[in-house]
Structure formats: structure tokens, C-alpha cells
Amino acid sequence: MNIVVIGAQWGDEGKGKIVDYLAGDARLIVRFSGGANAGHTIVLGGEQYALHLVPSGILYPDKTVILGTGMVIDPEALFNELSGLEAKGVDWKGRVLISDRAHIVLPSYRRIDKELDAARRKPIGTTGRGIGVSYAMKASRDGVRLADLGDPERLQNLGEEDRAWLAQWAERLAPMSVDLVPYLRAHRNAYVLFEGAQGALLDIDTGTYPFVSSGMSCAAGAAAQGGVGPRSIDRILGVFKAYTTRVGNGPFPTEFNPSSQSALDSYIRETGREYGVTTGRPRRCGYLDLVALRYAATANSIDRLVLTHLDVYDELDEFEACVAYRVRGRLVEDFPSSVADLAEAEPVLRKFRGWKRPIGAVRAYEELPREARDYVAFIEEYAETPVSMVSVGSDRNATIVRESPWIRS
Ligand code: GDP
Ligand code: IMO
Ligand code: MG
């Protein structure tokens, strides 16, 4: 059975936590997109793990994790991350595989990424990890894949510095390399989780272009770049927060107004600890945007939603969510493709009552306060998609499962 988990907003929805939770029942975890721009946090027994390239699932001693074809991998960052895990007692050897069709991020890409963004009239605010350059080189057919490392002809066009740097990793990468399609064919009866990075609105095609990342962070990416075809995907989960965050630049219609909503803004940022895992930048915060969520759900065939960070609202008397936009006086209910329209979109907000009590210890859906369940019911109706899991804290155990995605309906 193959389950895809993607972010349904602008990233940092809690994908790492949810994939880690679901990985308990999986045999393989395949990350299908992005690179070291991602930061996926897992909290287990008070210990925090920040993963960037390594798929969530690595913390279980018996799971194999795979860096898929759609990823762009910086080997230096990868081996640093693996050393960090080892220092925390995670024995990863023999359990981390890399698709031999995945592309490698070279040091010159990181440099060019930073230079390009600094030269933009409106910078995207990239993570500076060489991601966009790597996908551009891939599209221009000048990239280097794992499978190319043994082929001197493929490396001929590289600069001296990149070539020397690459040589030091080739030997360590070789035993981790796997031909993903036959590997997954051989495991076709296994439970496989496909882990997305970034989010639907950062996807190169369906996101808020040009303020996006450059990989396929959409659900279809799992099929194109995860080693299976589209008909092999059994279920697609979209993870979203009770509110919205965004790191980097670009339109964000529900972003809190710094003058009129600054108290709310700092409450959410501090309570939800909304600082980037990769860059440490404070995340921009705002109310839940249901227009964007419904768009993400439709564009990605999301069949179940996973709501996270509901506990962050515990202390609020009331809160709001966006149910439409007003763009230059016109009411809009479909997510606009123009960033100019999005930049001018004023959210039409609906109020919800808060529950004013801690929900972090709740493990059964019926035990959530009525106000919290009313919020969930409204989201389900608006997005036309059931919410099958609710997360009420960062720890693996702080999870409410209404319907296990592993059970076929
Ligand atoms: P990802 O990129 O989607 O994996 O998400 P990040 O790890 O970048 O950001 C999510 C942050 O929220 C991390 O610090 C998580 O530990 C934390 N987190 C995840 N789920 C919850 C939740 O339900 N409640 C709270 N309070 N924190 C959560
Ligand atoms: P996870 O997997 C949030 C954002 C960057 C920037 C834009 C382009 O943790 O959800 P890039 O370096 O990819 O070219 O930057 O995309 N971005 C993310 N924002 N979460 C992420 O990943 C992100 N990965 C990239 O901040 O705005
Ligand atoms: Mg993140």
C-alpha cells in the first residue's frame, strides 16, 4: 500500500511529525522532492530531531528510508546530518538508500543560488542551499546524478572545484545508491510512505510562482519522482496547520497585520515556536486560509486532511479563518494564479469561538472541546475533504487518529 503525505500550505505544516507517526506501520519511507531547504522536526521523548535530507522514519531502528529521484542532494549536508543522528544514537548504516537518478547539489550551485537571489529586484528569500540552481541544471540537462558518478564523461563539464569536491563523496555514496523503480517493484506488497517536502503552495507548478521552491512538492511528485506510477498511489494526505505560516517572500493574504494584529502575531509565533528549522528565520504568521486549502486539496487529489497545531489556539477567546478574498472590490473564492491579485487580496474572515483549555493531552477525537470540533467540521465542509488525524503537540504521541490511513476504505 502506498500513501503520500504532502504539505497543503507553504511548508512547515508538521509533515515530519506526521510521517514519523505513520512510519510506525510502514516498511519503507521514500522522500520524493526538495533537498536541504527542508527542515522536518520530530520530537520523541523530549528529544528533538531536525531532518533536512533524511526521510522521517529513520528514528525507527527497523525502517529503510530512501532519498527519491526528485530530490536534489548535497552530499556534504547529508553526511553531516547522518553524523548528527549517529551522535544521538541513531544507527542509520545500511538503512539509508538514495535513488541513483537523484541529482547532486554542487558547491557552485549554493554560491550561484545566493548570488541570483541577491540580484533579484524582488528576492524570493531562498534558503541558499543551491536548490533552484540544481533543478535548473537538471532541466537544462547539465545536472549530475548519482548514476553519473562512475562516468567520467558526464563529469567533464564540471569546474575544477566542483569536481574535486565531488570526488571525496563518490565512494561513500556508492553503497547507498539504488535503482528505485525495480526496488519498489520488488517491495510492491510492502507498506510504503512517500514523504513530501515544502508544500502545495511552494510547488513549481501549482504554487505562488515565482515565490515558490523549484521542485515538485505536489502529490503528483510522488508518482513522477518517487519511483512508482500514478496508479500505484492508494491515498494522499495533506497536512495543514490550524493557522498559516510562510518563510521567505511572496503573497500571503491572511498574514497578520503588524500594526493591528501584532499581539496575535507574537502569540502564535512564540506558542507555535514559528522559527525556521533550516534558516532560523521567524516565520510569517496568519489565520487559516481556506481558499488556499481547498485549492491545494483539489489540485492534489487530497483524500484526507491532517490538521496540526490545533493546541496553539488553546488560549484564544476567538479566532478567524479566511473563507473568500476581496480583490479590488470583487469577491473571489478560487485561489488566484496572479501574484499581483494575491498581493491585493483582502481576506473575508469568519469568526470561531475558542475553547480556552489545554488539549495537548487529548487522544480521542470526541474528547476535544465542542468548539474545536466545530472548527474541524467547518474546515471539512469548506474543503470538501475529511480530516482524518489531528495533532495537538509536537511529540509523536500527541496525535489523534480518527481513521488510520493504512486501513483500506
Ligand atoms: P515540516 O517541515 O512540515 O516537517 O514542519 P517543521 O518541522 O518545519 O515545523 C513544524 C513545527 O511544529 C516543529 O517544530 C514541530 O515540532 C512542531 N509541531 C508539529 N506538530 C505540532 C502540533 O500539533 N502542535 C505543536 N504545538 N507543534 C507541532
Ligand atoms: P519544509 O519541507 C518552508 C521556501 C523558502 C523560500 C522558497 C524558495 O520544511 O516544509 P528554495 O531554497 O527552496 O529555493 O527557497 O521556498 N521554502 C520553504 N519554506 N518550508 C520548507 O520546507 C521550505 N523549503 C523552501 O523559504 O521562500
Ligand atoms: Mg519545515
Side-chain angles (χ1 to χ4, degrees):
M1 188 175 187
N2 293 325
I3 297 180
V4 176
V5 180
I6 61 159
Q9 296 167 315
W10 278 289
D12 303 327
E13 300 90 347
K15 299 174 292 294
K17 175 199 153 147
I18 297 302
V19 170
D20 167 76
Y21 180 87
L22 294 173
D25 289 317
R27 166 111 177 260
L28 306 170
I29 299 90
V30 182
R31 184 77 183 258
F32 59 87
S33 72
N37 50 349
H40 296 176
T41 315
I42 300 169
V43 180
L44 187 55
E47 182 82 64
Q48 182 164 315
Y49 302 82
L51 303 173
H52 300 281
L53 286 159
V54 177
S56 309
I58 191 70
L59 300 186
Y60 297 86
D62 57 336
K63 313 292 177 194
T64 296
V65 303
I66 307 177
L67 286 76
T69 301
M71 286 188 72
V72 288
I73 299 159
D74 177 338
E76 190 173 342
L78 175 64
F79 288 114
N80 278 338
E81 192 173 325
L82 290 170
S83 304
L85 285 170
E86 211 168 303
K88 287 190 168 182
V90 179
D91 181 11
W92 59 270
K93 295 210 173 76
R95 297 196 292 122
V96 180
L97 302 175
I98 310 175
S99 165
D100 62 1
R101 290 180 172 86
H103 280 246
I104 294 177
V105 177
L106 298 170
S108 62
Y109 298 2
R110 287 186 233 145
R111 198 177 53 243
I112 298 167
D113 181 11
K114 290 180 194 137
E115 287 168 3
L116 275 179
D117 211 33
R120 284 186 178 107
R121 210 168 52 79
K122 285 191 177 165
I124 293 163
T126 73
T127 58
R129 300 295 193 271
I131 305 301
V133 180
S134 193
Y135 282 114
M137 292 297 272
K138 172 178 175 173
S140 70
R141 277 99 1 116
D142 294 308
V144 179
R145 304 171 311 160
L146 236 67
D148 303 328
L149 291 181
D151 179 355
E153 210 181 301
R154 291 282 311 135
L155 308 180
Q156 253 171 12
N157 292 333
L158 300 186
E160 199 45 56
E161 191 200 337
D162 281 345
R163 204 162 355 152
W165 177 88
L166 197 51
Q168 56 177 319
W169 306 113
E171 226 170 89
R172 293 180 73 183
L173 288 168
M176 299 162 83
S177 164
V178 67
D179 187 351
L180 193 53
V181 172
Y183 185 88
L184 290 182
R185 186 178 60 221
H187 290 85
R188 63 174 155 258
N189 294 322
Y191 278 21
V192 184
L193 260 183
F194 291 87
E195 178 184 25
Q198 289 77 56
L201 304 178
L202 286 171
D203 176 80
I204 185 80
D205 291 297
T206 56
T208 47
Y209 190 92
F211 297 99
V212 290
S213 190
S214 32
M216 288 180 77
S217 43
C218 56
Q225 308 187 320
V228 295
R231 295 213 306 145
S232 300
I233 305 297
D234 296 290
R235 181 155 288 169
I236 298 167
L237 305 183
V239 185
F240 73 106
K241 279 173 171 155
Y243 46 94
T244 310
T245 61
R246 176 161 204 178
V247 205
N249 302 324
F252 180 177
T254 61
E255 184 170 18
F256 293 133
N257 184 320
S259 45
S260 58
Q261 291 173 306
S262 73
L264 188 58
D265 189 44
S266 9
Y267 167 79
I268 299 286
R269 186 168 305 101
E270 299 315 317
T271 314
R273 289 202 233 122
E274 295 299 353
Y275 294 88
V277 184
T278 299
T279 56
R281 290 179 287 181
R283 294 175 181 149
R284 300 158 64 193
C285 301
Y287 279 133
L288 177 64
D289 185 339
L290 285 163
V291 177
L293 184 69
R294 180 166 62 191
Y295 166 73
T298 312
N300 290 281
S301 303
I302 289 174
D303 40 37
R304 293 293 185 270
L305 286 164
V306 177
L307 168 60
T308 64
H309 296 78
L310 191 58
D311 55 297
V312 174
Y313 274 173
D314 280 355
E315 289 173 34
L316 300 182
D317 292 318
E318 57 178 28
F319 57 87
E320 296 177 304
C322 169
V323 293
Y325 302 143
R326 210 169 281 287
V327 183
R328 293 176 213 100
R330 202 166 43 91
L331 198 69
V332 173
E333 287 181 351
D334 286 317
F335 194 69
S337 42
S338 145
V339 284
D341 285 356
L342 273 170
E344 290 201 33
E346 288 166 32
V348 175
L349 298 167
R350 181 194 192 281
K351 266 196 184 23
F352 294 85
R353 282 164 61 102
W355 41 92
K356 299 281 282 176
R357 70 173 165 97
I359 59 170
V362 175
R363 297 291 177 268
Y365 187 74
E366 299 66 36
E367 286 166 22
L368 280 173
R370 162 145 304 282
E371 294 83 355
R373 283 181 283 132
D374 285 349
Y375 185 42
V376 175
F378 187 87
I379 294 168
E380 290 182 308
E381 196 176 323
Y382 189 102
E384 296 168 4
T385 314
V387 171
S388 64
M389 291 170 66
V390 178
S391 168
V392 291
S394 53
D395 197 85
R396 182 189 285 171
N397 296 325
T399 310
I400 298 170
V401 181
R402 296 175 80 186
E403 174 199 14
S404 166
W406 294 115
I407 296 169
R408 288 178 201 274
S409 46

